[in-house]
Amino acid sequence: MGGDQGPHVTISAALMAVNHLPHLHLILCGDSSVIAEQLEKQHFSAHPQISFIHASQVVEMDDKPAQAIRGKKDSSMRKAIDLVKEGKAQACVSSGNTGALLSIAHYVLKTIPGVERPALISALPTHDPEKNVFLLDLGANVFCDSNILYQFGLMGSVLAGEVDNIDEPKVALLNMGAEDIKGSDTIKQAAAQLKENPDINYVGFVEGNDIFNDKADVIVCDGFVGNVALKTCEGVALMVASKLQQNLESSFFRRILSKILTLPVKKLYKSMNPDQYNGASLIGLRGIVVKSHGNANSHAIFAALMEAVKEVERQVPEKIQHKLEQRLLHRP
Amino acid sequence: MGGDQGPHVTISAALMAVNHLPHLHLILCGDSSVIAEQLEKQHFSAHPQISFIHASQVVEMDDKPAQAIRGKKDSSMRKAIDLVKEGKAQACVSSGNTGALLSIAHYVLKTIPGVERPALISALPTHDPEKNVFLLDLGANVFCDSNILYQFGLMGSVLAGEVDNIDEPKVALLNMGAEDIKGSDTIKQAAAQLKENPDINYVGFVEGNDIFNDKADVIVCDGFVGNVALKTCEGVALMVASKLQQNLESSFFRRILSKILTLPVKKLYKSMNPDQYNGASLIGLRGIVVKSHGNANSHAIFAALMEAVKEVERQVPEKIQHKLEQRLLHRP
């Protein structure tokens, strides 16, 4: 029940989700009096698909991960993850403090055997309106050795295959050049490991400008690089939109005409709207955890809930585990 | 005389530049018969402001740096840098192999005393049409320790101050979060060093989306991260433009109207056109070297030539050296 916009957006997203999926059951974790008050405000004293669990603590946005693990055992975030651990929930969705969520989830759920570190992964739009690209890691791990990058490639490949139904997803490493000699030893070793695995359709190095074309379905990098790339995307998209607005409004005549053109511009915005791409998944854990933007609105949280539902239906953690076991069995 | 588009674009950029600046003298390095032929094609058998020096070798785009240093001593790239070393030219502009250019320039010119590694720096557009932001390193150094990042901050500050006339340029470090606890130890140490220097207006950590707002005039990161960020910018801008085009052309009625709106869209493109931001400077060397895009057209190469002229006029290397000496003198 975190997030910058307050609990009412979470409640309204929850109501949207249960109305959309009659088989979905949501357990809201947080201050029960606040949840009840918000439900009432939205004209529901109770909903058959929604239950709630009281939490007396809140993980604040500036809580350090270690603080959150040790000192916030009765927080809404911890309780939600505990429910997944206990099998009482099949997935956890949170828009709270990312670092704390990562640490608590890692601490409580543990990683899948063979996975050293969980990763944050999200879908981004591409030139092709029908196609997304999955980028990982988006900030869970500042540094990654070649083994970890290799595991990210494997996990990303499973997620893209299962969630987006891509046959043999093209997996690439994000580098500062497409040539084999470019980049660090770590990335070159990761490339060799990915190339070696016949289960992974490894397509080589790609550069920042390749994220949005058809070169890859899954792009792997360390969390620092992924975080910068993701936020740079957001920054450029915002700047282009604001510059276009300025230019469209720069004369009266065009201002009138621009009104007629708001539809395609809105359509463009919608096709690139971060809300519909909301929901970075924390993969590599023995359970499903989806991170929503801190400042997500109800539509964005709804998108994150739907992402979690998809991962439950497609049994993503089980499939990652299966692929890893297969790989270990096949290893010479 | 390198570049993907052949020597005619370089010659035509050279002619534009000498016509624009009557005090400019250009020395073209390359195959003299090709240069003469190209000049003739553009109706000049000779030009009083243009001379040329024959080079029998060419650094190819796939030559490794060490190969280029040892095996291509008679290449156009080497000859151009030698001219700067010998004081016969005040700056070198090249659109050839970036890695080779960096290595040859580093090898021949050496760094300014106190500078460990040269960096690639370039100006990028921001929300404010009147304001650029300088990003470095763009790919010269895959990894950088905190000292190197600190030196980049200092050099970037001098360049922004001198070339863009910014008073006390705001210097920031690119990180995966704005909070002090975020990122690697290296970046935290660099932050401490930058904060300590009273000559640098250090403003803290920024994230990828902050590149284009007013938080900083100079943004520092290692070459891997900078290269990915820069190319991601190009990729997003291209995607947004192509999506807008698709949406504008999606109905007959809007197709007609969109014709009337081509002016603002063109204006937008112009304001963000990579050509006008062409010319990444290689700073930290005892001489001025400007790298133009490999696939630059003549307008882009012209922009790179103008960047080199500005740096010569503002004596950028001397000012970096002076700042570093001052800093060393002031050090407790």
Side-chain angles (χ1 to χ4, degrees), chain B residues 236-312:
Chain B
V236 176
L238 260 177
M239 178 175 67
V240 173
S242 91
K243 281 197 184 276
L244 187 71
Q245 193 85 13
Q246 285 163 19
N247 284 323
L248 281 177
E249 287 175 358
S250 62
S251 90
F252 179 73
F253 180 56
R254 284 204 296 272
R255 202 152 61 228
I256 300 287
L257 280 171
S258 78
K259 298 288 173 210
I260 308 167
L261 273 150
T262 46
L263 188 64
V265 172
K266 272 194 182 157
K267 217 172 129 189
L268 167 69
Y269 179 74
K270 215 179 149 191
S271 83
M272 294 193 55
N273 183 355
D275 288 355
Q276 69 163 324
Y277 294 97
N278 190 35
S281 302
L282 193 49
I283 55 168
L285 296 171
R286 303 178 199 210
I288 295 164
V289 179
V290 174
K291 169 67 177 74
S292 163
H293 274 195
N295 64 355
N297 60 24
S298 54
H299 291 276
I301 298 177
F302 172 80
L305 288 166
M306 292 306 108
E307 172 68 28
V309 169
K310 256 193 189 175
E311 290 180 31
V312 171

Side-chain angles (χ1 to χ4, degrees), chain A residues 228-305:
Chain A
V228 167
L230 180 73
K231 288 183 181 158
T232 301
C233 290
E234 292 175 11
V236 176
L238 260 177
M239 178 174 66
V240 173
S242 89
K243 280 195 186 279
L244 188 71
Q245 193 85 13
Q246 285 162 19
N247 284 323
L248 282 177
E249 287 176 358
S250 61
S251 90
F252 179 73
F253 180 56
R254 285 205 295 272
R255 202 152 61 230
I256 300 287
L257 281 170
S258 78
K259 299 288 173 211
I260 307 167
L261 274 150
T262 47
L263 188 64
V265 172
K266 271 193 182 154
K267 217 172 131 187
L268 167 68
Y269 178 75
K270 214 178 150 192
S271 83
M272 295 193 55
N273 184 356
D275 288 356
Q276 72 163 321
Y277 294 98
N278 191 34
S281 302
L282 193 49
I283 55 169
L285 295 171
R286 303 179 197 208
I288 294 164
V289 179
V290 174
K291 169 68 178 74
S292 163
H293 274 195
N295 64 356
N297 60 24
S298 54
H299 290 276
I301 297 176
F302 172 80
L305 288 166

Side-chain angles (χ1 to χ4, degrees), chain B residues 8-152:
Chain B
H8 68 281
V9 294
T10 313
I11 302 284
S12 120
L15 289 168
M16 281 164 67
V18 292
N19 291 333
H20 186 69
L21 296 176
H23 65 280
L24 179 67
H25 187 92
L26 291 175
I27 311 169
L28 304 178
C29 300
D31 185 323
S32 52
S33 63
V34 173
I35 298 177
E37 186 193 303
Q38 285 296 334
L39 271 173
E40 215 156 297
K41 267 194 190 159
Q42 299 189 36
H43 314 294
F44 284 91
S45 58
H47 191 289
Q49 291 167 255
I50 297 180
S51 56
F52 46 86
I53 281 186
H54 180 68
S56 65
Q57 290 180 305
V58 172
V59 173
E60 304 293 345
M61 292 313 271
D62 56 357
D63 277 345
K64 288 188 184 167
Q67 249 175 321
I69 292 180
R70 280 196 302 268
K72 298 279 174 92
K73 289 183 184 160
D74 202 55
S75 63
S76 48
M77 189 184 278
R78 177 63 176 267
K79 292 219 157 173
I81 294 171
D82 282 343
L83 288 174
V84 176
K85 171 77 180 170
E86 294 156 8
K88 291 177 186 159
Q90 289 169 281
C92 159
V93 174
S94 168
S95 33
N97 178 329
T98 310
L101 182 69
L102 287 167
S103 305
I104 296 177
H106 193 171
Y107 175 77
V108 172
L109 298 175
K110 313 283 185 253
T111 52
I112 291 167
V115 173
E116 286 169 73
R117 305 284 288 274
L120 262 177
I121 183 168
S122 188
L124 298 178
T126 69
H127 280 274
D128 178 351
E130 306 295 318
K131 219 187 129 299
N132 292 328
V133 59
F134 288 87
L135 185 66
L136 80 165
D137 174 32
L138 298 175
N141 309 280
V142 182
F143 294 117
C144 302
D145 65 22
S146 61
N147 262 325
I148 292 178
L149 291 176
Y150 164 76
Q151 290 163 13
F152 289 176

